[in-house]
Amino acid sequence: IENESPDLFRPTHLYGSTVSKSASKIIETFPSKGSYEKISLSTHLKDKRVVILAGPHKTGSTSIQNNIHEWTGINNFLLEGWAWPVPQTVTEIESKDEKNWHWNPSKGFYALAELLRDPMYPITDRLLFRTYSKKEIINFYQIEFLRAWLSGYNIVIGSEAFDNAIKDKRGEELIERLLKILPWNFLNLSSIVHGNNDLITVVITYRVPRVKHLLSIWHETKKEKETFRDWMLSTRNGLGAIDSLGLVEKFLNKGLKVILIDSSGLDVDDHNYDISNVIACDVLNATCSNEKQLIGSDEPLVMNTKANFN
């Protein structure tokens, strides 16, 4: 990538790992305060998957992330075989950051999405960014993804901040950087770590009516007493978030599989389907009822927007 440090995506610590070690030994060489129960050490030879929930903003992304995180959790393991691999160090630092209002691990990939942007864009004043370098933080995610993958898990990550791929001038480079930290691109482990970019599925939501998506972005980003007219004409309002189809195109141009969820299709035949359950059932292939309800789950959490996007 142009102007990118060649060492940025090389880990700061290898912990004694060498590419000649077996996959099971590699897991043990990366110490972590978190852990994964090994499904089967032979599963690294099978086609697991990576799913990226890419938003954009104001399309129910917070609800989706909270529910998928909850359903992959060790206390509520309903999405069997799926990991939401937020590094423990990131969780510890972000959880005590007073500027991160109500942070929880469902938002664990927002910081990563920020760091993967073009360096020309400023990053927020997170305690995490003041504690560790960009290279170290990316290393935390690389190692956590690798541990989950080699423990036999599919990986699901999500952040509405991945919509910077359509907002930024060279947003496609965010996608390129994201691909670099996936397990099969880590170090030179391709001969040991089974996987490739064909195993990636990107999920993007198209919110309708379009005007309600626009108004939702206005409510999210406007100043305290700023009219819609003033906001449209005079502020940096981040309208890229409304371009779901443009975001789809960015990922398609990198050769990735994309699933576009049209929110109008969630309300059919007098039945309103919950988008988190739809993703769990139809994208993650979980065990679900005929009504697209994840078996064993309670009513899904809905935050910041109504379930039918009205």
Side-chain angles (χ1 to χ4, degrees):
I1 300 175
E2 185 180 358
N3 298 326
E4 191 68 70
S5 167
D7 293 326
L8 181 61
F9 296 94
R10 295 178 183 172
T12 54
H13 304 288
L14 300 186
Y15 304 108
S17 172
T18 64
V19 295
S20 62
K21 294 185 178 181
S22 68
S24 59
K25 292 297 183 183
I26 291 173
I27 298 174
E28 298 169 2
T29 64
F30 295 112
S32 171
K33 295 179 182 179
S35 62
Y36 298 97
E37 178 181 351
K38 296 178 185 178
I39 296 177
S40 169
L41 287 177
S42 64
T43 56
H44 72 280
L45 299 176
K46 299 179 181 179
D47 284 346
K48 298 189 296 297
R49 298 170 58 209
V50 172
V51 170
I52 301 170
L53 309 175
H57 277 81
K58 310 310 297 178
T59 59
S61 53
T62 296
S63 302
I64 294 167
Q65 292 158 24
N66 271 276
N67 289 319
I68 299 300
H69 164 253
E70 177 69 19
W71 295 337
T72 58
I74 58 175
N75 296 323
N76 190 18
F77 197 46
L78 299 178
L79 288 174
E80 185 175 1
W82 287 92
W84 183 266
V86 179
Q88 185 65 26
T89 301
V90 172
T91 298
E92 291 176 355
I93 300 296
E94 293 275 63
S95 296
K96 63 184 180 183
D97 189 346
E98 295 180 355
K99 295 184 178 180
N100 278 344
W101 185 69
H102 288 178
W103 187 93
N104 68 66
S106 71
K107 291 295 183 182
F109 302 106
Y110 205 104
L112 174 64
E114 278 198 73
L115 293 181
L116 295 178
R117 298 181 77 184
D118 190 300
M120 68 177 287
Y121 296 97
I123 59 176
T124 55
D125 186 30
R126 293 176 180 268
L127 177 61
L128 179 66
F129 297 162
R130 287 182 273 120
T131 305
Y132 295 100
S133 70
K134 179 177 181 178
K135 183 177 179 180
E136 287 174 319
I137 297 169
I138 290 176
N139 185 206
F140 294 152
Y141 285 99
Q142 286 177 311
I143 291 175
E144 198 66 18
F145 291 178
L146 182 66
R147 286 177 55 82
W149 192 255
L150 293 182
S151 295
Y153 286 82
N154 301 283
I155 291 174
V156 54
I157 66 175
S159 175
E160 57 271 49
F162 288 132
D163 69 7
N164 286 319
I166 186 63
K167 292 179 180 178
D168 293 353
K169 185 175 182 180
R170 299 190 302 190
E172 65 279 354
E173 294 182 2
L174 182 155
I175 301 173
E176 294 172 15
R177 296 183 181 100
L178 178 58
L179 296 178
K180 281 187 176 183
I181 68 175
L182 295 179
W184 50 87
N185 294 323
F186 184 71
L187 294 174
N188 294 311
L189 299 178
S190 58
S191 62
I192 297 174
V193 180
H194 179 67
N196 57 66
N197 292 352
D198 292 338
L199 303 178
I200 301 171
T201 301
V202 182
V203 180
I204 295 171
T205 304
Y206 183 84
R207 179 176 173 179
V208 292
R210 306 299 288 146
V211 67
K212 290 191 175 181
H213 191 182
L214 179 61
L215 291 174
S216 186
I217 296 172
W218 168 54
H219 282 294
E220 175 84 2
T221 61
K222 72 181 181 69
K223 299 174 184 176
E224 184 176 357
K225 295 182 179 180
E226 186 174 33
T227 66
F228 180 75
R229 181 180 185 277
D230 289 342
W231 176 78
M232 284 290 293
L233 295 178
S234 61
T235 27
R236 296 182 61 189
N237 46 47
L239 286 179
I242 203 171
D243 192 6
S244 296
L245 298 181
L247 186 60
V248 168
E249 186 176 26
K250 289 288 187 179
F251 283 98
L252 287 176
N253 287 342
K254 295 302 174 184
L256 302 177
K257 182 192 305 180
V258 179
I259 292 176
L260 180 66
I261 298 180
D262 182 344
S263 66
S264 65
L266 300 175
D267 190 4
V268 293
D269 299 329
D270 297 322
H271 187 94
N272 182 251
Y273 294 99
D274 169 72
I275 189 169
S276 299
N277 273 292
V278 168
I279 291 172
C281 299
D282 292 348
V283 180
L284 306 183
N285 299 327
T287 303
C288 298
S289 69
N290 291 334
E291 299 298 314
K292 292 195 184 298
Q293 176 79 26
L294 180 63
I295 298 298
S297 66
D298 297 322
E299 190 71 19
L301 182 67
V302 177
M303 302 178 67
N304 298 340
T305 181
K306 294 181 180 180
N308 62 1
F309 294 91
N310 290 327

